[in-house]
Amino acid sequence: MSQPSLSSALGLSRRNFMAGTVSAAAAPLLASSAKAEAPAPSGPKLRAPVVASLRINQQAYELSLDTRTSLLDALRDHIGLTGTKKGCDHGQCGACTVLVDGKRVLSCLTFAVMNEGKDITTVEGLATSDGKLHPMQQAFIDHDAFQCGYCTPGQILSAIGCVNEGHAESEDDIREYMSGNICRCAAYPNIVAAVLQARDQTKGA
């Protein structure tokens, strides 16, 4: 009388064995599919707008901004102060120069939200309420210190900052400390002459 095989003793057959193997292999795939279909847990929105309080040209503004919004884009697109120009948008041409607490800042390289509580001055804020131009603006006109005019707002703000920093004592100083402001029309001699004319009137203005 023959002895039963081990598979028979355990109640196994080739068909049962293959079915079990396939089921075991498919289980991880089904589990990962269920995880993929499950909705992601809700969390804080990292890019949600924030309210930024800015003081620009002695006027208060409250803006709802993406935290990645540059000061340049906030001025132009959210407030409408388009005197500040977007040139290279990489901090290399100086067309976007504004004054922050009296110091020169490339507005394309600073986030708007970083300037809360600071005094920001753009070219629109230089003239008095009765329309009298700032001495530096007038000097640029007197010396024809522009041609196309695109870089002029940044040049004027940079010139005022240069004077306030004490870096406008000579023509060489002016050329050195305003070298970050590019004039593609090459009106540099006239710009230097304008800065020299307005230097004394600009100090402390």
Side-chain angles (χ1 to χ4, degrees):
M1 183 174 181
S2 60
Q3 295 293 325
S5 66
L6 179 60
S7 61
S8 298
L10 296 177
L12 297 177
S13 67
R14 178 182 296 274
R15 178 173 296 178
N16 290 340
F17 176 77
M18 293 302 295
T21 303
V22 171
S23 298
L29 297 176
L30 294 173
S32 63
S33 176
K35 289 181 181 178
E37 292 176 0
S42 60
K45 295 182 179 180
L46 299 180
R47 294 181 179 176
V50 299
V51 176
S53 300
L54 302 177
R55 184 172 173 80
I56 303 166
N57 300 331
Q58 301 182 355
Q59 183 174 344
Y61 295 87
E62 282 200 352
L63 306 174
S64 179
L65 300 172
D66 186 309
T67 54
R68 299 164 298 172
T69 303
S70 69
L71 179 57
L72 173 61
D73 287 340
L75 292 171
R76 291 182 58 84
D77 300 336
H78 293 266
I79 302 176
L81 296 174
T82 55
T84 306
K85 302 303 182 186
K86 179 176 285 194
C88 65
D89 211 21
H90 287 80
Q92 297 176 349
C93 72
C96 68
T97 303
V98 298
L99 299 178
V100 177
D101 288 341
K103 297 180 179 179
R104 295 178 284 179
V105 168
L106 297 171
S107 61
C108 74
L109 293 185
T110 180
F111 294 122
V113 295
M114 294 171 60
N115 294 279
E116 284 195 287
K118 300 178 182 180
D119 284 316
I120 302 166
T121 303
T122 71
V123 70
E124 290 93 343
L126 294 180
T128 61
S129 56
D130 61 1
K132 183 180 180 182
L133 296 179
H134 186 281
M136 192 65 73
Q137 289 176 300
Q138 188 60 56
F140 267 65
I141 293 172
D142 293 343
H143 288 274
D144 292 327
F146 53 86
Q147 288 187 44
C148 77
Y150 195 84
C151 73
T152 305
Q155 296 279 1
I156 290 174
L157 269 299
S158 184
I160 294 171
C162 184
V163 170
N164 290 338
E165 294 161 11
H167 296 317
E169 298 306 311
S170 69
E171 292 188 8
D172 287 341
D173 281 347
I174 295 168
R175 291 190 182 95
E176 173 68 24
Y177 287 98
M178 288 189 60
S179 60
N181 289 82
I182 297 173
C183 175
R184 291 177 173 83
C185 301
Y188 297 115
N190 303 47
I191 292 171
V192 172
V195 177
L196 288 174
Q197 174 182 306
R199 179 181 56 193
D200 295 335
Q201 295 173 282
T202 296
K203 290 178 180 177

